Amino acid sequence: MSTTVETDAAEAVRPAAPTGLGKIVERILEATSIAAMLVAVGVACLQVTLRYVFNSGLPWPEELATWMFAWSVFLGMAVATSRDAHISIDVVLRLLGPGPRSALEFFGHAIIAAASVMLLVHGLDYVSRVISASPALQLPMKYFFLAAPVGGLFNLFFLAWPKPGRSLLTGFGIVLTGLAIYLAVRYGAPRLYDQDTSAVVLVAVGVFSIIIGVPVAFALAFGVFCAFVPFGTMMLVTISQNMAASLNSFTLLAIPFFILAAAVMNAGGITPRLVDLAMQLVGHLRGGLGQANVVTNTMLAGISGSSTADASTIAKLLVPEMAKRGYSRAFAAALTAAAATIANLIPPSLGLIVYAALASVSVGALFVATIVPGLLVSAALMTTVWVISKARGYGGDMPKASLHDRMTSLGLAIPALILPAIIVGGVRFGVFTATEAGAIAFVYALFCGSLLYRKLTVANLIAAIRESVFDTAVIVVIIAAAAPFAWVLAYEQVPQKIAEELGVLIERPWLLMLAINGFLLIVGLFMEMIASMVILVPILVPLVVAAGYDPVQFGIILVMNLVIGALTPPLGVLVFTTARVGGANQTETFKAVTPFTLAMIAVLLAVSYIPAVTLLPVALLGP
C-alpha cells in the first residue's frame, strides 16, 4: 500500500529515488514545493496579525496563499511520482507472482504516464486560452493554471529517468507506452463509444485502474480523460482546469497547515508527553496499555487531524511495548488502527474540513458537532479493550499512579492540550477561519517545540516540514483529480439519477439513512476517504437535506462511515500502516480489528438516529 511519508519504517520500504540529474531535479522541486507552502503559511499568519493587531487587512494574502498552495501540490505530485509514493491499492499486485506483478506494475506506470501526457497537452492548451487576471494580485490566471501541466511534465521526466531497480530503457518504455495509450484513447475511443456512455466509461476505467494498483489520483484523472474523449478538445482542456481550480480554495489550505502543526508538535516532543499522561491516567486499568493507546490517540487527535499520521506515530511507540507486556501484536496493531480514526472525529479533522468546503457548511459548527461522537468512539473502544483484555488476561499488572505523578504529567502536556480548545473556540466564534486556525496552530507548535519542550532542533524541524508538505501533496492531489471526476458525474446527472432511485425512501428518513450508511460502508471498503467525499457529497447532501437531516449531522455520519472503511479490506490503509510499522501479520490484524469496527458501527448508528448527539452542542455553543 503506497501511502505518505510518515515514519522511518515508511522510509525503509519506499523504492529508491532517482540518481544523478534526477536526484538534483527532485531536490529542487521538493525545495520549491516546501518554500511555496511556507509562503502560504506566512501570508495567512500575516492576514490574521493585520486584522487583529492593526485592525486592517490586505486584499491579496488569501489569493497569494492559494496560488502557492496549488503550485506546491502539483510540484509535490511530481516528487511523489519520483518516489512511487502516491496513495494506491496494491491488493491485486500482492497476490501475483514476480513476473505478472512486474508486468502489471509496468502497465500501471504507463497509465500514470498517459494521464501525465493528458495533463501536459491539454493543460497547455487551456493555459494558451486563458485571458483573465486574478482579482487581487492582477496576475494573469494562466500562470495559476500552468501548475497542472508543469506537474505533468515532471511526472514524465521522473517516470523516464533511471533509478535503482529501473533502467533507462524501462523508463522510456513506460513513457512511450503511456503516450501510445493516450493516443489510442484520444483517437480510437470515439469509434468505440459515444457521449451517452461517458459516465459508465468514467466509473469503469477509474475503478478498474484503482483495483489494479494505479495510484488513485491518476486513476481518476485517466478515467475522466477516457470519458471526455468523445466530447472533443474543448471538454478535454477542462480536466486540468478543474484540477487546478479545485485548489483555488482558501478553506483547503487548512489541510497542509494542520498537518504542518502536527508534524512540528511531534518533532518538538509532544507525543511522548501525551503517552506518559495517558499511562498515568489509565495504565493501571485492565488492558492498561491498550487503554492508554486509545487515550493517547484521543489527545493527539486534537493536534493532528490526520488518522494515518497518528496511526504510524502511535504504532511505532506503543505496539512494540504492548507486545513486550504480553499483548498480541495483531491486537495492538488493530487497536492502534481503530483508535487512529479518532483523528478525523475530533477537531481539527481534515475530513470535516474537506466536507465543509464541498457542502458549504460551517467548519466551526462541524468542529463542535463532532466532539461528542469522537468521545463516544473513544469510550466504545476503551470498553472493547476492557472486555477483550478481561477475557485474555491482558494488563492489570501496573500500579496506579499517584496524584503527584498525574498532575506532573498533566502539567507537561497542557500546552498541547489547550490547542484544540483554541482551534474550536476561535473557529466557532469567528475569531479566525479554519485555515487561519491551521496557520496559528503551526506557529503555536513552533513555540511549544522550541521554547516549552525544547526538543525542536533545526534538523528535526526541517524533516518535519519536508514530511508534512509531502503528505499534503499526495493527499490533496487526490482531491484535485476527483474534482473533474465529480464534474463528469454531475454533467451526466448521476446525482439526480441516484436521488430518483432513493427518492422513494425520503418519506422514511430512518430507512434512507440506514441505506446510505450501508452504501457508505461499502464505498469505504474500496475508496480513499477524501476521494469518496469529493465524489459523493454533491450526490448525497441534497438527498438527506430533502429527507429532513441537518447537513452538519450528516457530515459527521459521512466521515464516520468512511474512516471505518480505513479499517476494512481491501483498502484498510490504517490496518496496513499499523501492521507494517508495528511488525504484525496483516491478516491477523484485520481479524483483530473486527470487534473495534463493530463498536464504532454501534456509535455510528447512535449518531445517525439521535440528532442531539451532534446538534445539541452546536445549539448550546451558538451562535
Side-chain angles (χ1 to χ4, degrees):
M1 174 76 60
S2 298
T3 54
T4 53
V5 185
E6 288 160 356
T7 64
D8 295 335
E11 285 283 350
V13 299
R14 180 185 303 145
T19 57
L21 178 62
K23 184 175 182 179
I24 294 173
V25 173
E26 182 192 282
R27 292 284 179 87
I28 292 174
L29 290 186
E30 184 182 36
T32 306
S33 178
I34 292 170
M37 194 66 74
L38 292 179
V39 169
V41 174
V43 297
C45 292
L46 173 65
Q47 187 75 328
V48 175
T49 302
L50 290 174
R51 188 164 65 244
Y52 291 104
V53 177
F54 299 101
N55 199 29
S56 65
L58 297 172
W60 52 265
E62 291 188 6
E63 192 172 285
L64 177 61
T66 55
W67 277 55
M68 294 295 100
F69 177 49
W71 273 95
S72 177
V73 168
F74 282 109
L75 294 180
M77 172 187 73
V79 174
T81 300
S82 169
R83 299 173 181 174
D84 288 333
H86 282 287
I87 295 174
S88 62
I89 302 173
D90 62 355
V91 175
V92 172
L93 287 172
R94 289 201 305 270
L95 296 175
L96 300 176
R101 179 188 176 104
S102 295
L104 193 57
E105 286 178 339
F106 181 93
F107 181 73
H109 282 101
I111 295 296
I112 298 175
S116 300
V117 170
M118 178 270 298
L119 280 178
L120 177 61
V121 172
H122 300 290
L124 289 176
D125 186 10
Y126 182 78
V127 167
S128 69
R129 300 169 188 266
V130 175
I131 59 173
S132 60
S134 61
L137 295 172
Q138 287 298 300
L139 293 175
M141 286 299 295
K142 64 182 180 181
Y143 295 121
F144 175 85
F145 292 107
L146 185 62
V150 168
L153 175 63
F154 281 112
N155 276 341
L156 294 171
F157 171 80
F158 287 124
L159 288 170
W161 196 261
K163 62 180 181 179
R166 190 169 75 201
S167 65
L168 181 64
L169 181 61
T170 301
F172 271 97
I174 288 171
V175 173
L176 291 175
T177 303
L179 177 61
I181 292 173
Y182 164 81
L183 293 173
V185 173
R186 176 71 179 86
Y187 297 105
R191 302 174 185 271
L192 302 177
Y193 56 89
D194 55 22
Q195 300 177 9
D196 294 336
T197 59
S198 61
V200 175
V201 171
L202 171 77
V203 175
V205 173
V207 172
F208 174 76
S209 299
I210 291 173
I211 289 174
I212 65 172
V214 177
V216 175
F218 296 102
L220 295 176
F222 185 68
V224 175
F225 170 62
C226 292
F228 269 175
V229 162
F231 291 85
T233 302
M234 288 305 296
M235 292 295 283
L236 292 175
V237 300
T238 64
I239 300 175
S240 65
Q241 182 267 338
N242 267 281
M243 290 182 66
S246 68
L247 305 186
N248 194 13
S249 167
F250 194 63
T251 300
L252 283 182
L253 271 168
I255 293 175
F257 290 175
F258 281 120
I259 291 176
L260 277 166
V264 173
M265 276 286 196
N266 287 333
I270 182 58
T271 303
R273 299 284 194 278
L274 296 179
V275 172
D276 180 64
L277 175 59
M279 290 296 299
Q280 301 291 344
L281 293 176
V282 299
H284 63 285
L285 300 176
R286 173 60 66 182
L289 272 177
Q291 307 286 9
N293 192 319
V294 178
V295 172
T296 301
N297 270 286
T298 303
M299 293 187 292
L300 193 60
I303 300 170
S304 74
S306 170
S307 293
T308 309
D310 287 5
S312 59
T313 300
I314 301 302
K316 184 165 63 174
L317 289 173
L318 286 183
V319 171
E321 184 64 25
M322 291 179 70
K324 288 180 184 177
R325 289 184 174 267
Y327 294 80
S328 160
R329 193 173 285 268
F331 170 82
L335 172 60
T336 305
T341 62
I342 301 171
N344 269 293
L345 300 175
I346 286 181
S349 161
L350 300 186
L352 290 178
I353 292 171
V354 174
Y355 175 82
L358 296 171
S360 300
V361 174
S362 165
V363 176
L366 287 167
F367 279 2
V368 172
T370 196
I371 293 174
V372 174
L375 295 177
L376 286 176
V377 169
S378 299
L381 293 178
M382 292 180 73
T383 301
T384 307
V385 169
W386 186 90
V387 171
I388 295 176
S389 299
K390 186 77 171 176
R392 300 182 183 178
Y394 292 156
D397 58 341
M398 298 179 65
K400 186 175 181 179
S402 67
L403 179 62
H404 176 268
D405 289 340
R406 290 182 175 183
M407 295 307 295
T408 300
S409 296
L410 178 62
L412 292 172
I414 278 179
L417 295 177
I418 65 174
L419 180 58
I422 295 173
I423 293 169
V424 175
V427 173
R428 180 59 181 159
F429 297 110
V431 179
F432 36 68
T433 66
T435 301
E436 292 168 343
I440 291 169
F442 173 65
V443 175
Y444 182 79
L446 288 174
F447 170 76
C448 289
S450 57
L451 299 180
L452 294 182
Y453 297 119
R454 299 186 179 182
K455 297 291 185 180
L456 193 64
T457 64
V458 173
N460 64 21
L461 173 62
I462 292 174
I465 292 174
R466 288 181 63 192
E467 173 184 313
S468 55
V469 172
F470 187 84
D471 287 352
T472 297
V474 296
I475 291 171
V476 175
V477 74
I478 294 177
I479 299 176
F485 193 93
W487 193 89
V488 176
L489 292 177
Y491 180 84
E492 291 296 317
Q493 296 187 322
V494 173
Q496 291 87 333
K497 294 173 183 176
I498 293 177
E500 288 177 6
E501 295 295 326
L502 294 175
V504 295
L505 299 178
I506 288 179
E507 300 300 325
R508 298 179 182 177
W510 70 270
L511 189 56
L512 173 66
M513 185 53 65
L514 185 63
I516 289 176
N517 276 326
F519 170 68
L520 290 174
L521 287 173
I522 293 172
V523 168
L525 297 176
F526 302 101
M527 290 196 66
E528 195 271 339
M529 182 181 71
I530 293 176
S532 302
M533 291 174 65
V534 174
I535 296 169
L536 295 176
V537 167
I539 298 173
L540 296 179
V541 170
L543 190 63
V544 297
V545 170
Y549 281 90
D550 190 294
V552 171
Q553 179 190 5
F554 182 67
I556 312 302
I557 295 169
L558 176 70
V559 171
M560 287 190 70
N561 272 289
L562 296 178
V563 296
I564 290 173
L567 302 176
T568 50
L571 181 55
V573 61
L574 295 181
V575 172
F576 283 121
T577 298
T578 57
R580 181 189 63 201
V581 176
N585 178 273
Q586 291 181 352
T587 303
E588 293 299 319
T589 304
F590 272 116
K591 292 179 181 178
V593 85
T594 301
F596 301 113
T597 303
L598 294 175
M600 294 181 65
I601 290 175
V603 177
L604 170 64
L605 292 175
V607 173
S608 299
Y609 293 110
I610 307 175
V613 172
T614 52
L615 300 182
L616 183 58
V618 178
L620 293 176
L621 295 176

